[in-house]
Amino acid sequence: MVRREVWTHLLAYNLIRRSILQSAQASGCSPRELSFTAAMQSIAASWLVAVLSDRSMFGVLVQTHLTNLAGHRVGKRPDRVEPRAVKRRPKPHRLLTKPRAEARLELLAGAST
């Protein structure tokens, strides 16, 4: 079942990329300029309409869909470089190695003596 799920995800990914490529070719831009997330959401939203439409409207819906995909461009992000580093710093506190309730009781017992 896991293999089937992985292959299904790969198939969906490739179909979304193909629709992005078709939209980019129709609009004369690069496929890398179009948003994958917007394409995925648009395709998911249009499935119900495609199933309920008749054959004569299906071609019009596909053309409209491809035209709309070209409108979702990825913004320009020049000089987008992130350092590879761990942000979390070691803390001066000990790790909690027992249940919180036990540790709380020990603290209260130590404070009363």
Side-chain angles (χ1 to χ4, degrees):
M1 289 304 289
V2 172
R3 282 190 190 128
R4 186 175 295 169
E5 188 173 342
V6 168
W7 283 111
T8 304
H9 283 280
L10 287 173
L11 176 65
Y13 175 81
N14 285 328
L15 289 174
I16 292 168
R17 283 291 177 195
R18 181 175 179 204
S19 66
I20 289 173
L21 178 63
Q22 288 173 339
S23 177
Q25 287 175 342
S27 67
C29 66
S30 169
R32 295 182 62 81
E33 294 176 5
L34 300 181
S35 172
F36 180 84
T37 303
M40 183 175 58
Q41 290 170 349
S42 175
I43 290 169
S46 66
W47 280 348
L48 183 62
V49 175
V51 169
L52 296 176
S53 68
D54 58 349
R55 289 211 180 258
S56 63
M57 284 298 295
F58 188 74
V60 174
L61 288 174
V62 169
Q63 283 305 110
T64 305
H65 172 70
L66 292 177
T67 304
N68 288 339
L69 278 182
H72 297 287
R73 302 275 173 115
V74 176
K76 301 269 189 253
R77 299 181 288 185
D79 302 326
R80 184 161 189 225
V81 177
E82 299 294 330
R84 283 211 178 271
V86 177
K87 187 174 179 180
R88 303 264 182 226
R89 303 285 188 259
K91 306 286 192 264
H93 307 291
R94 296 183 319 244
L95 293 175
L96 185 63
T97 57
K98 56 182 99 179
R100 189 171 298 280
E102 271 184 44
R104 191 175 292 132
L105 287 174
E106 285 181 13
L107 279 174
L108 291 174
S112 64
T113 57

